[in-house]
Coordinates of all heavy atoms in Angstrom, one line a residue:
R880 N 24.8 33.3 28.3 CA 24.2 33.0 29.6 C 25.0 32.1 30.5 O 24.7 31.8 31.6 CB 22.8 32.4 29.4 CG 21.8 33.1 28.5 CD 21.4 34.5 29.1 NE 20.3 35.0 28.3 CZ 20.4 35.8 27.2 NH1 21.6 36.0 26.7 NH2 19.3 36.2 26.6
G881 N 26.2 31.7 30.0 CA 27.1 30.8 30.7 C 26.5 29.5 31.0 O 26.7 28.8 32.0
L882 N 25.8 28.9 29.9 CA 25.1 27.6 30.0 C 25.7 26.5 29.2 O 25.0 25.5 28.8 CB 23.6 27.8 29.7 CG 22.9 28.8 30.6 CD1 21.4 29.0 30.0 CD2 22.8 28.3 32.0
D883 N 27.0 26.7 28.7 CA 27.6 25.7 27.8 C 27.6 24.3 28.4 O 27.6 23.3 27.6 CB 29.0 26.2 27.4 CG 29.0 27.4 26.5 OD1 28.3 27.3 25.5 OD2 29.6 28.4 26.9
D884 N 27.6 24.2 29.7 CA 27.7 22.8 30.3 C 26.3 22.5 30.9 O 26.2 21.4 31.6 CB 28.7 22.7 31.4 CG 28.5 23.8 32.5 OD1 27.6 24.7 32.3 OD2 29.2 23.7 33.5
T885 N 25.3 23.3 30.6 CA 24.0 23.1 31.2 C 22.8 22.9 30.2 O 22.0 22.1 30.4 CB 23.6 24.3 32.2 OG1 24.7 24.5 33.1 CG2 22.4 24.0 33.0
F886 N 22.9 23.7 29.2 CA 21.8 23.7 28.1 C 22.5 23.2 26.8 O 23.3 23.9 26.2 CB 21.2 25.1 27.9 CG 19.9 25.0 27.1 CD1 18.7 25.1 27.8 CD2 19.9 25.0 25.7 CE1 17.5 25.1 27.1 CE2 18.7 24.9 25.0 CZ 17.5 25.0 25.7
L887 N 22.3 21.9 26.5 CA 23.0 21.2 25.5 C 22.2 21.0 24.2 O 21.2 20.3 24.2 CB 23.5 19.9 26.0 CG 24.2 19.9 27.4 CD1 24.6 18.5 27.8 CD2 25.5 20.8 27.4
L888 N 22.7 21.6 23.1 CA 22.1 21.3 21.8 C 22.8 20.0 21.3 O 23.9 20.0 20.7 CB 22.4 22.5 20.8 CG 21.8 23.8 21.2 CD1 22.1 24.9 20.1 CD2 20.3 23.7 21.5
E889 N 22.1 18.9 21.5 CA 22.7 17.6 21.2 C 22.7 17.1 19.8 O 23.2 16.1 19.4 CB 22.0 16.5 22.1 CG 21.9 16.8 23.6 CD 23.1 16.3 24.3 OE1 24.1 16.0 23.7 OE2 23.0 16.1 25.5
G890 N 22.0 17.9 18.9 CA 21.8 17.5 17.5 C 20.6 16.6 17.4 O 19.9 16.3 18.3
I891 N 20.5 16.1 16.1 CA 19.3 15.3 15.8 C 19.5 13.9 16.2 O 20.6 13.4 16.2 CB 19.0 15.5 14.3 CG1 17.5 15.2 14.0 CG2 19.9 14.6 13.5 CD1 17.1 15.7 12.7
R892 N 18.5 13.2 16.6 CA 18.5 11.8 16.8 C 17.3 11.1 16.1 O 16.2 11.5 16.2 CB 18.3 11.5 18.3 CG 19.4 12.0 19.2 CD 20.7 11.2 19.0 NE 21.7 11.5 20.0 CZ 22.5 12.6 19.9 NH1 22.4 13.4 18.9 NH2 23.4 12.8 20.9
K893 N 17.7 10.2 15.2 CA 16.7 9.5 14.5 C 15.7 8.8 15.4 O 14.5 8.8 15.1 CB 17.3 8.5 13.5 CG 16.3 7.8 12.6 CD 17.1 6.9 11.6 CE 16.2 6.2 10.7 NZ 16.9 5.3 9.8
N894 N 16.2 8.3 16.5 CA 15.3 7.6 17.5 C 15.5 8.4 18.8 O 16.4 8.1 19.6 CB 15.7 6.2 17.7 CG 14.9 5.5 18.8 OD1 13.9 6.0 19.3 ND2 15.4 4.4 19.3
P895 N 14.6 9.3 19.1 CA 14.8 10.1 20.3 C 14.2 9.5 21.6 O 14.4 9.9 22.7 CB 14.0 11.4 20.0 CG 12.9 10.9 19.1 CD 13.5 9.8 18.3
Y896 N 13.5 8.3 21.4 CA 12.8 7.7 22.5 C 13.6 7.3 23.7 O 13.2 7.4 24.8 CB 11.9 6.6 22.0 CG 10.9 7.0 20.9 CD1 10.8 6.3 19.7 CD2 10.2 8.2 21.0 CE1 10.0 6.7 18.7 CE2 9.3 8.6 20.0 CZ 9.3 7.9 18.8 OH 8.4 8.3 17.8
P897 N 14.8 6.7 23.5 CA 15.6 6.3 24.6 C 16.0 7.5 25.5 O 16.0 7.4 26.7 CB 16.9 5.7 24.0 CG 16.4 5.2 22.7 CD 15.5 6.2 22.2
Y898 N 16.2 8.7 24.9 CA 16.5 9.9 25.6 C 15.3 10.5 26.3 O 15.4 10.9 27.5 CB 17.1 10.9 24.6 CG 18.3 10.4 23.8 CD1 18.1 9.8 22.6 CD2 19.6 10.4 24.3 CE1 19.1 9.3 21.8 CE2 20.6 9.9 23.6 CZ 20.4 9.4 22.4 OH 21.5 8.8 21.7
M899 N 14.2 10.4 25.7 CA 12.9 10.8 26.3 C 12.6 9.9 27.5 O 12.2 10.4 28.6 CB 11.8 10.8 25.3 CG 11.9 11.8 24.2 SD 10.6 11.6 23.0 CE 9.1 12.1 23.9
K900 N 12.9 8.6 27.4 CA 12.7 7.6 28.5 C 13.6 7.9 29.7 O 13.2 7.8 30.8 CB 12.9 6.2 28.0 CG 12.6 5.2 29.0 CD 12.8 3.8 28.4 CE 12.6 2.7 29.5 NZ 12.9 1.3 28.9
K901 N 14.8 8.3 29.4 CA 15.8 8.6 30.5 C 15.5 9.9 31.2 O 15.9 10.2 32.3 CB 17.2 8.7 29.9 CG 17.8 7.4 29.6 CD 19.2 7.5 29.0 CE 20.2 8.0 30.1 NZ 21.6 8.0 29.7
A902 N 14.7 10.8 30.5 CA 14.5 12.2 31.1 C 13.7 12.1 32.4 O 12.8 11.3 32.6 CB 13.7 13.0 30.1
D903 N 14.0 13.1 33.3 CA 13.2 13.3 34.5 C 12.0 14.1 34.2 O 10.9 13.9 34.7 CB 14.1 14.0 35.5 CG 15.2 13.2 36.0 OD1 15.0 12.1 36.5 OD2 16.4 13.6 35.8
I904 N 12.1 15.0 33.2 CA 11.0 15.9 32.8 C 11.1 16.1 31.3 O 12.2 16.4 30.8 CB 11.0 17.2 33.5 CG1 11.0 17.1 35.1 CG2 9.8 18.1 33.1 CD1 11.2 18.4 35.8
I905 N 10.0 16.1 30.6 CA 9.9 16.5 29.2 C 9.3 17.9 29.2 O 8.3 18.2 29.8 CB 9.0 15.6 28.4 CG1 9.5 14.2 28.4 CG2 8.9 16.1 26.9 CD1 10.8 13.9 27.7
V906 N 10.0 18.9 28.6 CA 9.6 20.3 28.5 C 9.3 20.7 27.1 O 10.2 20.4 26.2 CB 10.6 21.2 29.2 CG1 10.1 22.7 29.1 CG2 10.8 20.9 30.7
Q907 N 8.2 21.3 26.8 CA 7.9 21.8 25.5 C 7.6 23.3 25.7 O 6.5 23.6 26.1 CB 6.7 21.1 24.8 CG 6.5 21.6 23.4 CD 5.7 20.6 22.6 OE1 6.0 19.4 22.6 NE2 4.7 21.1 21.9
P908 N 8.5 24.2 25.3 CA 8.3 25.6 25.5 C 7.8 26.4 24.3 O 8.1 27.5 24.1 CB 9.8 26.1 25.8 CG 10.6 25.2 25.0 CD 9.9 23.8 24.9
S909 N 7.0 25.7 23.5 CA 6.5 26.3 22.2 C 5.7 27.5 22.3 O 5.0 27.7 23.3 CB 5.7 25.2 21.4 OG 6.5 24.1 21.2
R910 N 5.8 28.4 21.3 CA 4.9 29.6 21.2 C 3.6 29.2 20.6 O 2.5 29.8 20.9 CB 5.6 30.6 20.4 CG 6.8 31.3 21.1 CD 7.4 32.4 20.2 NE 8.3 33.2 21.0 CZ 9.6 33.0 21.1 NH1 10.1 32.0 20.5 NH2 10.3 33.8 21.8
F911 N 3.6 28.2 19.7 CA 2.4 27.7 19.1 C 2.6 26.3 18.5 O 3.7 25.9 18.2 CB 1.8 28.6 18.0 CG 2.8 28.9 16.9 CD1 2.8 28.1 15.7 CD2 3.7 30.0 17.0 CE1 3.7 28.4 14.7 CE2 4.6 30.3 16.0 CZ 4.6 29.5 14.8
E912 N 1.6 25.5 18.5 CA 1.6 24.2 17.9 C 0.2 23.9 17.3 O -0.8 24.5 17.7 CB 1.9 23.1 19.0 CG 3.3 23.2 19.6 CD 4.3 22.5 18.7 OE1 3.9 21.8 17.8 OE2 5.5 22.7 19.0
G913 N 0.2 22.9 16.5 CA -1.1 22.3 16.0 C -1.5 21.3 17.0 O -2.3 21.5 17.9
K914 N -0.9 20.1 16.9 CA -1.0 19.1 17.9 C 0.3 18.4 18.0 O 0.8 17.9 17.0 CB -2.1 18.1 17.5 CG -2.3 17.0 18.6 CD -3.5 16.1 18.1 CE -3.8 15.1 19.2 NZ -2.8 14.1 19.4
S915 N 0.9 18.4 19.2 CA 2.3 18.0 19.4 C 2.4 16.5 19.5 O 1.8 15.9 20.4 CB 2.9 18.6 20.6 OG 4.1 18.0 21.0
I916 N 3.1 15.9 18.5 CA 3.4 14.5 18.6 C 4.3 14.2 19.8 O 4.1 13.1 20.5 CB 4.1 14.0 17.3 CG1 3.0 14.0 16.2 CG2 4.7 12.6 17.5 CD1 3.5 13.5 14.8
V917 N 5.2 15.0 20.1 CA 6.1 14.8 21.2 C 5.4 14.7 22.5 O 5.7 13.8 23.4 CB 7.2 16.0 21.4 CG1 8.0 15.9 22.7 CG2 8.1 16.0 20.2
L918 N 4.3 15.4 22.7 CA 3.5 15.3 24.0 C 2.8 13.9 24.0 O 2.8 13.3 25.1 CB 2.5 16.4 24.1 CG 3.0 17.8 24.3 CD1 1.8 18.8 24.5 CD2 3.9 17.9 25.5
D919 N 2.3 13.5 22.9 CA 1.7 12.2 22.9 C 2.7 11.1 23.2 O 2.4 10.1 23.9 CB 1.0 11.9 21.6 CG -0.3 12.6 21.4 OD1 -0.9 13.0 22.5 OD2 -0.8 12.8 20.3
E920 N 3.9 11.2 22.6 CA 5.0 10.3 22.9 C 5.4 10.3 24.4 O 5.6 9.2 25.0 CB 6.2 10.6 22.0 CG 5.9 10.3 20.5 CD 6.9 10.9 19.6 OE1 7.7 11.8 20.0 OE2 6.9 10.5 18.4
A921 N 5.5 11.5 24.9 CA 5.9 11.6 26.3 C 4.8 11.0 27.2 O 5.2 10.3 28.3 CB 6.0 13.1 26.7
K922 N 3.6 11.1 26.9 CA 2.5 10.5 27.7 C 2.6 8.9 27.6 O 2.4 8.2 28.6 CB 1.1 10.9 27.2 CG 0.8 12.4 27.6 CD -0.6 12.7 27.5 CE -1.1 12.9 26.0 NZ -2.5 13.3 25.9
I923 N 2.9 8.4 26.4 CA 3.0 7.0 26.3 C 4.2 6.5 27.1 O 4.1 5.4 27.8 CB 3.3 6.6 24.8 CG1 2.0 6.8 24.0 CG2 3.8 5.2 24.6 CD1 2.2 6.7 22.5
L924 N 5.2 7.3 27.3 CA 6.4 6.9 28.1 C 6.2 7.2 29.6 O 7.0 6.8 30.4 CB 7.6 7.6 27.6 CG 8.1 7.2 26.2 CD1 9.2 8.1 25.7 CD2 8.7 5.8 26.2
G925 N 5.1 7.8 29.9 CA 4.8 8.1 31.3 C 5.7 9.1 31.9 O 6.1 9.0 33.1
K926 N 6.1 10.2 31.2 CA 7.0 11.2 31.7 C 6.3 12.4 32.2 O 5.3 12.9 31.6 CB 8.0 11.6 30.6 CG 8.7 10.5 29.9 CD 9.4 9.5 30.8 CE 10.5 10.1 31.6 NZ 11.2 9.1 32.4

């Protein structure tokens, strides 16, 4: 898709919260979930 400089697979982060805090938007494009911890974390961070 020509997105090598736009869509970045950054690898795993043991502590993802500083990156979530820096984000302008948190996006969760899931097909299904039970209850997403990431969404609760994003709400705590006010994103």
Side-chain angles (χ1 to χ4, degrees):
R880 305 294 191 274
L882 299 173
D883 288 305
D884 59 350
T885 307
F886 196 97
L887 309 178
L888 301 182
E889 305 272 20
I891 204 163
R892 295 291 188 277
K893 185 176 180 180
N894 176 16
Y896 304 130
Y898 305 94
M899 294 174 68
K900 182 180 179 181
K901 284 181 68 174
D903 295 298
I904 305 172
I905 302 291
V906 178
Q907 182 158 315
S909 300
R910 289 183 166 90
F911 56 92
E912 292 281 348
K914 184 175 184 291
S915 168
I916 288 180
V917 171
L918 291 186
D919 283 341
E920 294 167 340
K922 287 195 288 185
I923 289 170
L924 292 169
K926 308 309 296 186

